Amino acid sequence: MRFLHTSDWHLGRSFHRVGLLDAQAVFLDHLVATAREHDVDAVLVAGDVYDRAVPPLAAVELFDDVLHRLAEAGVPTVMISGNHDSARRLGVGAGLIERAGIHLRTDPAGCGTPVTLTDAHGDIAVYGLPYLEPALVREQLRAPAAGHEAVLAAAMERVRSDLARRAPGTRSVVLAHAFVVGGEPSDSERDITVGGVAAVPAGVFDGVDYTALGHLHGCQTINARVRYSGSPLAYSFSEAGHRKTMWLVELGPAGEVAAERIDCPVPRPIARIRGRLDELLADPAPARHEESWVEATLTDPVRPADPMARLTERFPHILSLVFAPERTDEDPLASYAQRLRDRDDHQIAEDFVAHVRGGAGPDERERAVLRGAFDEVRVATSVRDGEPKLGRGASG
């Protein structure tokens, strides 16, 4: 059986205030054409269909249009909600839409209820695990702890329990939206840290023939059976080196996996350039980026006059300007920036406590209070954006 694995469409998102709906429409045209060209048996969409819980009308219309075209092409589609989506809104009408072969999985209660597909070699059970916010779904899934690994493990227990009741030789596919150990993040993913720990081990998905992951925006292989498709478009300059693709996955009669990457259309290349302003304007090397969306980092010790206007003359599509003055190691501003580099919100908060106390950082009790505060803010944001407290979205 042949699947097309994609995720993280983020319909309605912009790139540094440049609207991307037209580029997203081109990608969805490409998706439908690829599904037809390669005669795929199903499309798998591993979450973050929309960029926010209440998407703009134009994004909803784009989504509606691609669902109609996939249904008309007779291509079953299995789709889960991600951490950017409102599971309840995305799941509206799921039971009715399922009659057209579009299977929306947005309710954690449905983790153990698969979409069953069949080929010449038997059944394939496709399980959709929507994004699982630990504090909201722990009780529902009877997880032993409020963490990503605990709730995903509890959801996977439901998957394995259902598989065990099926005919021998039944193959299995899982869709999940999570940060799996070994994955490489970029700047455009929303933080899903809980209690300081966001990543879960790939072993959570052991026993499944293929796991189609969403959340991280770079296409990557965790192992032969666990892969991220990545986002179809770049949503941050940290993705300048990404090759944006979908996975075309062939699932053999005994569950063997073969996968190849299908390139996505590129609306405009993106590039990061760095140096002093005069160098960037005179150096012939950056000429290849003159038609790209550009982020320029200026290293001049003193901020030059009118840098954006001057850079725009050479790079008309420049979108972002960053100042990183060259400093000596003894410069206090340089040492502070080095301390903050690659540190998450929890670590920065702990550093602040140590700073105001003259070096004495928080103890274990205070660390727990800080972690709890960050987690409560994220959960409150999820509820505010329309998520049900007990995950009452449609199960399809």
Side-chain angles (χ1 to χ4, degrees), residues 181-379:
V181 172
E184 186 67 33
S186 59
D187 293 344
S188 54
E189 298 116 9
R190 183 182 294 169
D191 181 29
I192 58 170
T193 303
V194 171
V197 179
V200 301
V204 166
F205 303 105
D206 283 353
V208 173
D209 293 312
Y210 184 74
T211 299
L213 292 175
H215 180 57
L216 299 185
H217 289 180
C219 180
Q220 47 202 299
T221 299
I222 304 301
N223 61 52
R225 297 185 181 275
V226 180
R227 300 171 189 265
Y228 283 98
S229 68
S231 60
L233 299 172
Y235 294 121
S236 71
F237 278 104
S238 66
E239 299 162 64
H242 288 191
R243 174 188 165 199
K244 295 300 184 180
T245 59
M246 300 178 284
W247 284 111
L248 184 63
V249 180
E250 191 87 36
L251 191 62
E256 60 271 37
V257 173
E260 66 172 295
R261 295 174 70 176
I262 304 293
D263 288 293
C264 296
V266 178
R268 187 181 294 279
I270 64 172
R272 279 175 153 170
I273 58 176
R274 182 184 183 92
R276 298 192 178 198
L277 178 60
D278 289 342
E279 295 170 352
L280 294 179
L281 293 176
D283 186 356
R288 66 187 187 278
H289 302 310
E290 289 175 358
E291 295 304 316
S292 300
W293 281 322
V294 169
E295 178 185 76
T297 299
L298 297 184
T299 60
D300 302 71
V302 177
R303 184 173 299 201
D306 298 322
M308 195 65 162
R310 293 166 67 187
L311 283 166
T312 300
E313 292 180 5
R314 183 175 190 187
F315 306 101
H317 305 288
I318 186 170
L319 297 178
S320 176
L321 187 58
V322 179
F323 293 95
E326 294 171 346
R327 302 183 187 278
T328 65
D329 291 340
E330 291 75 26
D331 190 317
L333 290 176
S335 61
Y336 179 72
Q338 290 167 0
R339 288 202 306 273
L340 291 185
R341 187 176 298 135
D342 299 325
R343 299 181 73 77
D344 61 27
D345 291 341
H346 301 277
Q347 294 167 321
I348 292 171
E350 291 184 16
D351 285 350
F352 176 76
V353 172
H355 172 72
V356 297
R357 285 181 175 171
D363 58 26
E364 284 303 317
R365 181 183 63 81
E366 292 167 329
R367 286 192 182 96
V369 170
L370 288 172
R371 287 195 297 267
F374 281 111
D375 294 347
E376 286 179 13
V377 168
R378 192 187 56 263
V379 171

Side-chain angles (χ1 to χ4, degrees), residues 20 90 159 284 340 377:
L20 292 177
L90 186 64
V159 169
L340 291 185
V377 168

